Amino acid sequence: MALTLSNIQVSEGVFLLRAQMPPIARTPKAGQFYMLLPPGDAFALRRPISIYDYEGGVASFAYQVKGRGTKALSRLAEGSEIDIYGPLGHGYEFEDKDSVFVAGGLGIAPMHYALKQFRRAYPHRLADCFLGFSTEPFLLEAFTEDASTVTAKQGGYITDEVPCIEGRAFFCCGPEAMMRALFLKLGEGSSLQVSLEKRMGCGVGACLSCSVPSREGNKRVCKEGPVFSAREVFF
Ligand SMILES: Cc1cc2nc3c(=O)[nH]c(=O)nc-3n(C[C@H](O)[C@H](O)[C@H](O)COP(=O)(O)OP(=O)(O)OC[C@H]3O[C@@H](n4cnc5c(N)ncnc54)[C@H](O)[C@@H]3O)c2cc1C
Ligand code: FES
């Protein structure tokens, strides 16, 4: 069990939850996620939420209220216990290369922690961020410390702003149409990793509800993903 330290609204329908994890908890890798049990959920179905930040045993999650589960999460009070299971899945793999981070909407959640981890591993490399929002941008300031540049856009297509520069590594999270558009723009030969979203049952590879087709047969988003090479899953 984790302890809710704070759970505040940062934008219309978007919350930032901070939870003190138990001492035995593992530090997550960038792009990994956790299964959070909404309090009072009679069906006890956990919801997958990406790691937004992790520091000193405190895990942070940025989430949007979509339905019953996330609505219940938004009502979690400071000081209450929360059932959090993880970290799970396969995250982003960084290289010693100048890198570009592209996110749309709540895709900024995993991208924030990815940027932070990349900066720690490769402080000498460029890390350019492109963040797209359909509403007023939120949590932007959290990116400025670790990013070389931050480009934010409200409305339109953030992928239009991303330059195709050879030799760079690209990391993306957001609506699937946006990630596909970026893949088309960068081309098959580019180094692009994308984080897929699928409805999940177990979160640990057992129920197959999150399967997606790939070049090498079906893959489970919760186990082999959520992060994949774009050319593996977009074909
Ligand atoms: C690996 C992973 C990481 C995620 N990380 C985040 C995150 O950091 N922040 C965040 O806000 N959300 C994230 N999500 C999405 C989040 O899990 C869903 O929004 C949430 O489970 C919805 O639960 P609910 O009970 O509120 O909504 P429900 O009542 O279950 O559904 C409400 C609506 O949301 C749609 N929906 C539900 N789950 C998904 C899904 N997985 N993908 C697309 N649409 C869905 C439903 O079709 C429905 O229209 C992530 C999903 C995955 C798979
Ligand atoms: S959610 Fe059960 S296999 Fe992925």
Side-chain angles (χ1 to χ4, degrees), residues 165-213:
I165 301 176
E166 230 174 272
R168 294 216 174 164
F170 292 81
F171 304 93
C172 187
C173 185
E176 193 171 316
M178 184 200 98
M179 297 194 288
R180 282 184 184 273
L182 184 62
F183 182 52
L184 277 178
K185 179 172 181 170
L186 298 174
E188 282 257 345
S190 60
S191 163
L192 169 63
Q193 293 172 43
V194 294
S195 182
L196 297 187
E197 255 198 34
K198 272 275 158 189
R199 297 208 75 157
M200 288 185 179
C202 67
V204 293
C207 72
L208 306 184
S209 66
C210 65
S211 292
V212 290

Side-chain angles (χ1 to χ4, degrees), residues 47-50 62-64 66-70 109 197-199:
R47 305 303 199 275
I49 303 288
S50 306
Y63 64 94
Q64 184 164 37
K66 279 275 180 77
R68 205 183 61 225
T70 43
E197 255 198 34
K198 272 275 158 189
R199 297 208 75 157

Side-chain angles (χ1 to χ4, degrees), residues 2-6 16-21 25-26 28 34 36 50-62 84:
L3 179 72
T4 305
L5 298 176
S6 61
L16 187 63
L17 166 69
R18 292 173 63 251
Q20 180 68 56
M21 301 297 282
R26 277 182 293 130
Y34 289 76
L36 275 61
S50 306
I51 187 71
Y52 168 80
D53 201 2
Y54 195 91
E55 202 64 70
V58 176
S60 303
F61 304 93
I84 297 180

